[in-house]
Amino acid sequence: MKYSEYLCPTYTRPDILFVRGSGLRLYDSDGKSYLDFTSGLACNPLGYSHPVLISEIKEQLDFLIQTSNLYYTEAQLLLAKELSDISLKGRVFFCNSGAEANEAAFKLARVYGKGRYKILTAKGSFHGRTLATLSATGQEKIHKGFFPLVSGFNYIEFNSLEDAEKKIDKETIAIMVEPIQGERGIYPATEEYLKGLRKLCFKNDLLLIFDEVQTGIGRTGYIFAYQMYNVIPDIITLAKGLAGGFPIGAMVCKKGLGELLQAGMHASTFGGNPISTRAGLVVLSIIDDNFLKDVKEKAKYFKERLSEIPNKEIRQAGLMIGMDIECDAKKVVSQCLEKGLLINAPSNNCIRFLPPLTITKDEIDEGISILKDVIANFAF
C-alpha cells in the first residue's frame, strides 16, 4: 500500500511506517530502530510502552472505556481534583486536545466578559489549528488560506509590556500567552513580562490565560511553566504530555471562574474519558519532585553536550530546547532520520528537541553523537 494514498496530505512525512515503540525508541516496519528526541511533539513524557502506564490502561479497558459526559466517571473526578490541587485550586474542563482546551478558555473568557470579547495574543504564538485557535495564533503562515479569520483577537509583541498595555481597550477581556513559545523554536517569556501582564490584568479586570499545552506536565522541569516564573494565571490550558500519549486536553481555572460555564454552554463527548484520565493519573503519579529534579539535571547535561556543536544560539527551558544553526535545519533533520535519530525543525535554521522526560544521559550522548556527525558534514 502506498502510505499516502488514503490520507489528506496535511503533513510532510518521510516514507517510513512506525509499528512499535519502547522507551525512547521507535521501530519501523523493516525493524530499524530510531532514537526519538521529539516524544510525539511532547506528547510522550514517559516514552513508549511505559510498563506502569500500560498496566493501568489494560486494567481500565476491562472496566470502562466511554460513557459520554452525561454521567460521572471515577478517573475523571480524580484527575480533575489532582489538577486543581496542584495548580489553581478551581475547576477543570476536559476535552481531547490543546486546541479544544484553548477554545474552552476563549468561551469562558467571553462569558466572564459580559460583552467584552477581545483577547490579546502574542506574535509568534501557536494556539491550535481550529479556526478560532489559528486566528488566535500570531503567525501569518498559519493564517494563510483561511481568511476571513475569527474576529476578536489582537496581536501584541511578545515580551513587550508597553505594546500589551497599548492594545488594551474597553472591549478587551483577556490576555493569552505561552510562557515559552514552543512552535517557533523555544522562546521563553521574561519574568518581568509575565509579572507585568499579571499586573495589567489585575488593573483592567482581564483574565490572564497561560497556554501550557506544550510547556505543562514537567516539560520545563516544573509541573507547570508558570511555577518557573512565580506568576499565577487565571486559566491554564493543557494537553500533550498530560496523558502520556493518549488524547486529552484540559482547561484549569481559578476558584469562582469555572462555575460560569453552566450546563449546556460547552461540551466534549469524548473529553475526560476513562482511558485518558486514568492515563493522566498515572503520569502525574510518576512525575513527582524527584522526577522533576532529575529532569533539570538531564536538561543541564543536554545543553552542555549541545554546546559542543557549532551553533548560533541555544534556548532552553528544561527538556524543551531550541538550537539555531548555520546550515539547513530541515536537511539536518532528514539526515539524522537516516541515521536513526528523530528531531524537529520548526524553521530553516532551528532544530527543536522535545525528548521524553525519561531520557538517560547515555541516550543524550547517543543522539548528540549522531547530530554532531551530521552537522560536521555541512560547511559553516
Side-chain angles (χ1 to χ4, degrees), residues 4-18:
S4 62
E5 186 175 357
Y6 299 102
L7 296 171
C8 292
T10 53
Y11 305 95
T12 302
R13 308 191 223 206
D15 194 27
I16 295 171
L17 182 66
F18 286 127

Side-chain angles (χ1 to χ4, degrees), residues 29-97:
S29 54
D30 295 322
K32 181 178 176 179
S33 168
Y34 299 79
L35 191 64
D36 186 5
F37 274 20
T38 70
S39 62
L41 294 179
C43 290
N44 305 314
L46 306 181
Y48 297 97
S49 301
H50 190 282
V52 179
L53 182 63
I54 295 299
S55 174
E56 294 274 341
I57 292 306
K58 285 181 176 178
E59 183 177 272
Q60 184 61 48
L61 287 170
D62 288 334
F63 287 101
L64 191 63
I65 295 175
Q66 167 67 356
T67 66
S68 89
N69 282 303
L70 296 176
Y71 313 99
Y72 291 116
T73 52
E74 183 179 25
Q76 184 183 105
L77 293 171
L78 292 174
L79 183 58
K81 182 181 186 304
E82 180 72 9
L83 286 173
S84 177
D85 288 347
I86 63 175
S87 62
L88 304 182
K89 315 300 181 186
R91 299 191 183 228
V92 179
F93 175 83
F94 286 114
C95 47
N96 308 287
S97 67

Side-chain angles (χ1 to χ4, degrees), residues 6 18 39 52 55 59 72 81 107 128 146-147 218 285-286 302 310 340 344 347 354 366:
Y6 299 102
F18 286 127
S39 62
V52 179
S55 174
E59 183 177 272
Y72 291 116
K81 182 181 186 304
K107 290 179 73 172
F146 298 105
F147 294 99
S285 73
I286 292 172
F302 203 125
N344 170 248
S347 68
L354 298 164
E366 182 182 351

Side-chain angles (χ1 to χ4, degrees), residues 129-145:
R129 295 283 188 173
T130 65
L131 198 53
T133 55
L134 75 84
S135 299
T137 293
Q139 298 187 56
E140 290 184 6
K141 67 179 183 180
I142 304 297
H143 301 161
K144 188 176 180 181

